[in-house]
Amino acid sequence: MIAIAVEFRLLGDIEARLDGRPIELGHARQQCVLAALLMDANRVVSADQLVDRVWGDAGPGRARDTLYSYLSRLRQAFSQATDVRLVRQPGGYALQVESPTDVDRFRSLAVRARAATNEHAVALFGQAVELWQGVPFGALDNPWINQVRGQLDDELFALELDRNDVLLRLGRPITAPVGQARHPLDERLAGQLMLAAYRGGRQADALDHYRRVRTGLADELGVDPSPVLQRLYQQILAADPALDIEVRRPATDQPVPRQLPATVSRVVGRAEEWHALDSQLASVGTGTSTVITAISGTPGIGKTTLALGWAHAAASSFPDGQLYVNLRGFDPSGQVMAPAAVIVGFLTALGVAPRAVPAALDAQLALYRSLAADRRLLILLDNARDTAQVRPLLPGSPTCLVLVTSRHQLASLVAREHAQHLPLDLLSTSEARDLLAGFLDPGLIRSQERTVDELIARCAHLPLALSIAAARVLTTPGAALDTMVAALGRAPMPLGELSTGDGHDTDIRSVFSWSYQALPLDAARLFRILGLHPGPDVSSAASASAAGVSESDVRPMLGELTRANLLTQHAADRYRQHDLLHLYANELARRHDSADARQAALHRIMDHYLHSAYAADVALHADREPYTLGAVADGVTPETFDEPETAAHWMRVEHPVLIAAVRLAEEAGLDVHAWQLPWTIAAFLYRHGLWSDEIVVQRIALAAAERLGDGLGLARSHRNLGQAYALLGRHTEAQDHVERAYGHYLVRGDEGGLAAVGTSLAWVFERQGRYAEAQAAAERALHWHRILGDLTGQASALNMIGWYHAQLGDYRQALADCQEAVALYRKLGQRDGEANTLDSMGYIEHQLGQHQEAIAHYTTTLALRRELVGHRFGSARTLLKLGDTLLASGDEDAARTAYRDALSIFEEFGGAEVDTARARLAALP
């Protein structure tokens, strides 16, 4: 069947085009249904959600029947398309599409642009803006459409501001964003327009623009411009030469991390602290050591708000990027981030491929400091527990600025590293009123000044407590300031119970309780259960299994928690809790739920991730060793995967949660989950180069299998550990673990295991260049696979044997082995193995001088890998070898194209292969 592609457009009139021809989408209401599905493309949307998105509160009595007719018509409209399916699934409907919508492309380009540098970033920003052909969703009009339209408009506005920053850094002119009329008092835009006017020789225009913004802020909000904008005004007034100096641009081949999370649009108060940070910025690069500021204060005082707000404002002064990590120094689970884990993340952000990260911590730290040297980086270390956690993460370069936030004062960091200590105090009454004015009507605050001041006092002048109280007044029907003050007076938990031991007696448990006590019973129970979840975030499907309910039932509960500010939806179908909220939820579970109930919830959580990960693993690797898991707990609905692409996406998104789940299984004494879950994700970790994670989880698995006395668990954990150690170059440990695995399989009489471990041992020898021993091990594996009648195993072993013969110079025998392997793979219909073996044959034929045959096999390998998931790195290696063969055959132009294609993929992964591809290109005439 010929593939017929559909292109969806939402950024303008809603359109669907089939091979360039428009599809009739019906009337406005039916188009709303399509929009509601497309904004969650490839995800399940419940019928209730669709009704709410299309009709809201004004739905007809038979809205569901009408909805079903619209769905039927849409299904018919796309009947000729091979890449679009509207399917009914448990919990609702999913519009499965292969091509991204223009909204998806816009967001993807935005991410790429923000990670790119200079001219490349400008080009990507431009491509993103060009996707907008008008008002999103055209003339469609209902509350949900208008809400999403507003969100998209905000995304465009933010993207145009980011593009302006890049253009200003390049000395290029800027234009006012499309959304300027909706944001007349945006101070970031005001600063950009002022700087652009000043650099264009229009100092008077720059100053006049500042005065208009200052007047608007005073009239509309009763506030002054931010310290940053005031400082820019003073610089323009004084014609400060610093405004004309172009900050050093990063090298085009260096990745520019931009890891700062989103923050509030305006930091209230903190003028003196902001000025102190500005002074620190001025000293970057002028001394011989890293500039460090340690911000300390009680929980909820606004340490992170200040640090992130200033970091975003100062980001353009750090063209080499901004690194961020939450060190979880006071995480509810007690799982403080180890410096070793942070360093690996920083190295990856700075362009080091996971497989190129050194195994030893000292080597990782040395590489990190080398990469930071001479780069102008802002590094924000949030929520540190103590100086010992921070000290290894200091880069040592005077061109870097480090911000640290902590509940402790970090006196040792001040004494030894000469960090500036910036303690935060409670807000003054006027500052607290200003904070509340960001939520509530300023007129209300002025008219009820005494009640407002009493609310401020009851909240202990604590920013987080004030924010939550104001949000409750704003979002709860019928709520008023006086009823909130009365509720605070009745709160059973006194301030000070959640003490950090730093001398403060403020406590925000009671503030959290206001929202919790107003929850329906089912949402309150879910809140407590999520306190048991390992984090860092959770999907609706996992939430449903944790609570033992259906996904359609859990979504309204998640909505309740999100509206109550007890949960944050930070991405599509991804929810997370602030660490204090997570602690509060966990404590409530321990107080209100029995030990049996908590253990049952933990078991459901672990069953969800174990059975879902196993289903994803099977979808991705049909040749994996079979294994029967235990029965799933009542109430758990694991994820299912019809396509490898869906399974791969799930694994990528859930990877941090799966690692955390392994640790939680160990802590909770769920040893079966603690060894089986690492086994199910081993292939994913291997394919994505996450070998350090593999070692961590397999060590946990090994200990759990030992406690259980589970021979199969011991065998598989040793085998996986051996492979991970081999990839990291720790050959002695690798061989030891693989041989231990062999012993366990031998004791069990597990012939399939003996065959598999033989393959692993061959691979360990191969990593050491011991090809004769690798060949002998692979031949033993082939022997076991033949006894078992395992054709897949035979094909895999034959490919390995052929490769080792080639490395030993016996090309004729190597070719015969690989030809036999290909025949088996084709008989089995396994394209993955066929592609790997054809790649081996291409290499062998190149060595034999059979260049045209080699080119044909490499070309077929690439065609097969384009159909497979997660094979881009393998494709790049094939392209490199194809280029070698093309060059040997005399076709330099085709070789250059192959090398360039390989390089473009290698640059996504980093590592030594990038230099190899560049060297190949440089060697061409």
Side-chain angles (χ1 to χ4, degrees), residues 482-567:
D482 54 356
T483 57
M484 182 57 64
V485 170
L488 276 171
R490 293 192 299 269
M493 290 179 284
L495 295 173
E497 190 173 339
L498 186 61
S499 174
T500 63
D502 57 4
H504 293 282
D505 60 354
T506 49
D507 181 354
I508 61 169
R509 277 201 188 111
S510 57
V511 179
F512 292 150
S513 74
W514 315 327
S515 298
Y516 172 75
Q517 291 167 3
L519 292 172
L521 291 178
D522 55 355
R525 174 176 174 269
L526 177 63
F527 178 69
R528 299 195 303 272
I529 288 174
L530 291 181
L532 306 174
H533 186 273
D537 60 1
V538 64
S539 67
S540 57
S543 301
S545 290
V549 299
S550 69
E551 193 169 353
S552 60
D553 286 337
V554 87
R555 285 188 180 276
M557 302 180 207
L558 292 169
E560 289 280 356
L561 296 178
T562 303
R563 288 190 290 273
N565 294 314
L566 295 174
L567 205 61

Side-chain angles (χ1 to χ4, degrees), residues 360-384:
L361 177 59
D362 288 345
Q364 293 173 0
L365 294 172
L367 178 58
Y368 165 62
R369 295 186 184 112
S370 298
L371 291 172
D374 298 325
R375 290 196 189 189
R376 196 172 173 95
L377 289 170
L378 172 61
I379 302 167
L380 205 170
L381 308 176
D382 195 16
N383 196 14

Side-chain angles (χ1 to χ4, degrees), residues 104 220 537 875:
D104 294 328
E220 296 292 329
D537 60 1
S875 295

